[in-house]
Amino acid sequence: MLTLIVFLPLVAAVVLAAVPESAGRRPFLVGWIGITAIDAVLVVLAWIASDTGGGMSYEQNVRWIPSAGVAYHVGVDGLSLPLVAMTALLFLACAVYSLRQTHRVKSFVLLFLFLQTVSLGLFTALDLILFFVYFDLSIVGMYFVIAGWGHGQAKRSALTFFLYTFVGSLALLLGFIGLYLAAEPHTFDIIALATANPLAGRGAYAALVLLAIGIGLAVKTPTVPFHTWLPPAHTDAPAAGSAILAGVLLKMGTYGFVRIAMPLLPETWRQYAGAVVVIGVVSVLYGALVALAQQDFKRMVAYTSVNHMGYVVLAVGATGLWAGSDAQARSLAVTGAVTQMVSHGLITAALFLLAGVFYDRRGTYDMGAYSGVAGPAPLFAAATGVAAFASLGLPGFSGFIAEFQIFTGSLASATIGTALAVLGILITAGLFLRVLHRVFLGTLRLPDAPGAGRDFADLHRSEVVSVLPLLALAVVIGVVPRFLLEVIEPASATLIGLVGR
């Protein structure tokens, strides 16, 4: 089942690659939406039939490179299944959003289908080399999306993104090799390594392995000070590319912490958890303050991603601080971290798709050039308002559920850090309210754009159909979160048990 879900988009890409470009846009766009819709339905069926007891479902283990201890080992549990579902939904939303795409449509569709397989594959991988292969291929795919369909200094931003994250992936590979060499027998199998705990009592060696893995994951997340590739990559990427970059690719870093760093290096994770908490809090406050200073809408949303991912880093760090908290609190923090990954994916992807409306209509994201946009585009204003309130963690949205769990689970063990991180909510509330006031209220003022009309067109049908379901799901999780938490909580408890060894 998982193999079908992961590789169906890639098979579709191979089939569509045989269709000549002269066939026009329609076969590619319709095929893209159809395949992503089928994949999303398969994920829903897999969710319904999965085991929510904390163990793996749909596990498959096939020999791949047996001499090196590498296997095609896949499976999902409560840590990964929500991210698989979110990934399938976001790619479907991007396919619908791109219905008006006209530039090199065939290549665009094939690239996104490739990225979907890579992303789904990473969240199902239970072998370190399999995880690394998907991790690296995601960098390659997103590089071509930014360089090929971006704007502004797209090629430069794509190169910065590639070099930064590729260096991070090399650090990650060094850490994986360190784990492999410590295991007896040598293996890259995540489940076997979590059971064997091969670096227990290995002191400096284990610390270096955690440092290498931590740097690789921190670059991808990204956390301060490894975040500098993010704003230019987002600013110059096409809207669908930004949505996938923020909604899916950033989660590869935070997911790596809960899937690899914490369970495979429990003793070392507890030893250095304080440093992780500090990095999380700095990312929360730095991301919020720098976002407050932005004039560019997309750069502002990009910096709020640094802020929101900081909450996840704070939570996973706090679970390693054993003093002052019990297992229930630590499990709550992990549950909040995974919920935050899903929530941020939905809300920030919606914000980036809405940001694309600014560029599509007027060719700029400069918030100082807009005013009174709610008049000619009330639906666009309403959707952006809902996304902004969801992003700042207002009750009734998924962000509130996630951040409430993170703060409650982290407060006892990381009291000062959690108290400081709460300030991030206040700052993001201020910046989003300021944006809504400046851009959507007041007298209508629009920037000049070559060839643009004098008005500002409201959301097109494809933009509505792609964005509103993401916001609706954020509301559903915010109001009735049990269907999600019942999947995450058992896996969180299992993870806390592994970290406590």
Side-chain angles (χ1 to χ4, degrees), residues 389 392-397 400-401 478:
F389 284 121
L392 62 88
L394 206 68
F397 293 101
F400 174 78
I401 300 295

Side-chain angles (χ1 to χ4, degrees), residues 467-484:
V467 171
L468 292 193
L470 302 180
L471 298 178
L473 187 54
V475 173
V476 170
I477 294 173
V479 177
V480 283
R482 285 313 311 166
F483 78 96
L484 177 62

Side-chain angles (χ1 to χ4, degrees), residues 5 18 36 98 100 105 146 179 202 210 223 230 235 249 281 288 291 317 330 360 397 416 424 458:
I5 289 172
T36 51
S98 303
R100 297 173 70 238
V105 174
I146 299 172
L179 275 166
R202 296 291 296 270
L210 179 60
T223 64
L230 184 70
T235 304
L249 266 60
V281 173
R330 291 190 288 273
D360 179 69
F397 293 101
I416 296 175
D458 209 346

Side-chain angles (χ1 to χ4, degrees), residues 24-50:
R25 300 186 309 127
R26 188 178 177 83
F28 300 105
L29 293 172
V30 171
W32 185 17
I33 293 172
I35 288 300
T36 51
I38 292 171
D39 219 32
V41 170
L42 289 174
V43 171
V44 171
L45 294 176
W47 182 301
I48 293 170
S50 66

Side-chain angles (χ1 to χ4, degrees), residues 299-347:
R299 287 182 76 89
M300 184 202 73
V301 178
Y303 276 110
T304 63
S305 292
V306 177
N307 161 266
H308 283 102
M309 291 298 95
Y311 293 128
V312 177
V313 176
L314 164 66
V316 297
T319 59
L321 298 175
W322 234 239
S325 68
D326 55 22
Q328 186 177 0
R330 291 190 288 273
S331 179
L332 187 62
V334 172
T335 302
V338 178
T339 307
Q340 176 74 337
M341 294 183 214
V342 175
S343 172
H344 178 265
L346 296 173
I347 297 167

Side-chain angles (χ1 to χ4, degrees), residues 64-90:
W64 181 18
I65 314 173
S67 59
V70 180
Y72 175 77
H73 190 183
V74 296
V76 288
D77 62 0
L79 301 179
S80 52
L81 185 57
L83 295 174
V84 169
M86 180 200 69
T87 299
L89 179 61
L90 292 194

